[in-house]
Amino acid sequence: MSIMRIQHWQDAASLLVGVWLVLSPFVLGSSGAAVWITIALGLGVVLFAVEAFVIPSYLEEWGEMLLGLALVLAPWAIGYDATSAKVSSVLSGILVILFGGWELITDRDFTTWWHDRWHHRAG
């Protein structure tokens, strides 16, 4: 029996985005802080995606979405020089947020937990 299994295609998609983020500074010719921030955030996305294969739960999606938000904000917070680095970071961040959110709203364990915990009937 394999220890790793893919429950949601969004985890595999996030893994690919994370790999792109690790490689993108070299492909796009980025420099300065953009290189290290992009690699660090990309490794974080990769680790959360792999964690989803090993120990499936809905918690890693929250971590991925936070990393996605950091990717969206980093070009302005850090001051990326290259337009290509900005575009890559923002688009990758949006994808990571979308994949994480999509997985949360389609994950049976999370929706059951959310319903049991937060659903209040009117009246």
Side-chain angles (χ1 to χ4, degrees):
M1 184 166 107
S2 173
I3 194 167
M4 291 181 61
R5 61 191 167 100
I6 298 175
Q7 278 193 318
H8 301 280
W9 66 265
Q10 295 92 338
D11 293 324
S14 290
L15 177 65
L16 292 175
V17 173
V19 170
W20 162 251
L21 287 164
V22 171
L23 298 175
S24 68
F26 308 105
V27 173
L28 300 174
S30 301
S31 62
V35 173
W36 301 110
I37 296 296
T38 303
I39 290 171
L41 292 173
L43 286 173
V45 171
V46 167
L47 290 174
F48 276 122
V50 169
E51 189 267 337
F53 300 149
V54 178
I55 309 169
S57 79
Y58 57 84
L59 296 176
E60 71 273 349
E61 271 61 59
W62 292 106
E64 285 182 8
M65 290 191 300
L66 286 174
L67 290 174
L69 180 61
L71 284 160
V72 169
L73 298 176
W76 293 277
I78 306 301
Y80 290 9
D81 292 330
T83 301
S84 60
K86 290 177 188 174
V87 170
S88 175
S89 185
V90 170
L91 289 179
S92 296
I94 290 170
L95 285 173
V96 169
I97 292 168
L98 288 174
F99 292 149
W102 191 344
E103 185 171 340
L104 281 177
I105 63 172
T106 59
D107 183 84
R108 184 178 303 167
D109 292 336
F110 177 73
T111 54
T112 301
W113 174 84
W114 184 266
H115 183 270
D116 291 346
R117 179 107 166 151
W118 299 106
H119 182 72
H120 301 287
R121 294 186 180 163

